[in-house]
Amino acid sequence: MKKTIKILASLIIIVLLTACNGQTKTSNKTIDNSVSKIEVYDFHSTHRCMTCNAIETNTKYTLDTYFANELKANKITFQVVNVDEEKNESIAEKFEASGTALILNVIKDGKETKIDLTEFAFMNGTNQEAFSSELKAKLDTELKAL
């Protein structure tokens, strides 16, 4: 019985990851040298699962709790983007997001570095403590490098 439940849970996670179509890639792009900041993007489709909603909630919680000063100073920005809306087509394409994705776009010395946290987000999305702790650590590391 326990083995069946584990198999079922694994299948559900695989279906969620496949349905929301997260992609793991890192890319660099050159932009204005005077800009140094972290852009946090929470991409989603119109129809969202419980984990997809939790990712947004826990990302907002982490940013508001630990990075309020950085948000005020625009050192960190946060944007929730519905990839199904036509107005968001170019940004979704830029970050190769066709469904739920959590992306950090680190801008330093005129270069953009995309860090895809989608897999981490899905694995920890419904566990606020684990999600927040790990996201905070990642943002702290990237902020120190700016």
Side-chain angles (χ1 to χ4, degrees):
M1 183 68 170
K2 287 183 182 182
K3 195 172 190 176
T4 304
I5 292 172
K6 286 182 181 180
I7 291 171
L8 233 118
S10 296
L11 287 173
I12 290 170
I13 289 172
I14 290 169
V15 168
L16 285 174
L17 288 174
T18 304
C20 294
N21 197 17
Q23 300 174 359
T24 303
K25 293 187 180 182
T26 299
S27 64
N28 293 322
K29 183 180 177 184
T30 304
I31 57 165
D32 182 0
N33 286 343
S34 65
V35 177
S36 286
K37 68 178 186 174
I38 300 172
E39 299 172 328
V40 181
Y41 291 99
D42 177 20
F43 293 96
H44 67 84
S45 57
T46 301
H47 301 287
R48 301 169 79 181
C49 66
M50 180 179 73
T51 304
C52 298
N53 286 319
I55 290 169
E56 178 182 345
T57 299
N58 290 330
T59 301
K60 283 181 182 177
Y61 168 81
T62 303
L63 293 173
D64 291 342
T65 302
Y66 301 107
F67 300 99
N69 292 335
E70 291 82 355
L71 287 168
K72 277 185 183 178
N74 280 328
K75 199 74 169 169
I76 296 177
T77 60
F78 179 57
Q79 188 173 353
V80 179
V81 181
N82 183 338
V83 298
D84 292 335
E85 294 178 2
E86 192 174 320
K87 68 180 182 179
N88 297 326
E89 185 177 330
S90 63
I91 193 160
E93 190 174 291
K94 175 182 176 179
F95 290 101
E96 300 175 355
S98 59
T100 297
L102 182 63
I103 306 288
L104 300 184
N105 188 40
V106 181
I107 303 170
K108 179 184 176 194
D109 298 330
K111 288 190 176 182
E112 284 185 280
T113 303
K114 180 179 89 169
I115 301 170
D116 190 334
L117 299 178
T118 304
E119 186 175 335
F120 144 77
F122 270 100
M123 295 311 230
N124 298 286
T126 57
N127 181 340
Q128 184 183 50
E129 186 177 328
F131 185 98
S132 187
S133 174
E134 202 166 325
L135 181 57
K136 179 186 182 304
K138 185 64 177 169
L139 287 167
D140 282 337
T141 299
E142 295 303 325
L143 280 170
K144 286 177 187 172
L146 285 183

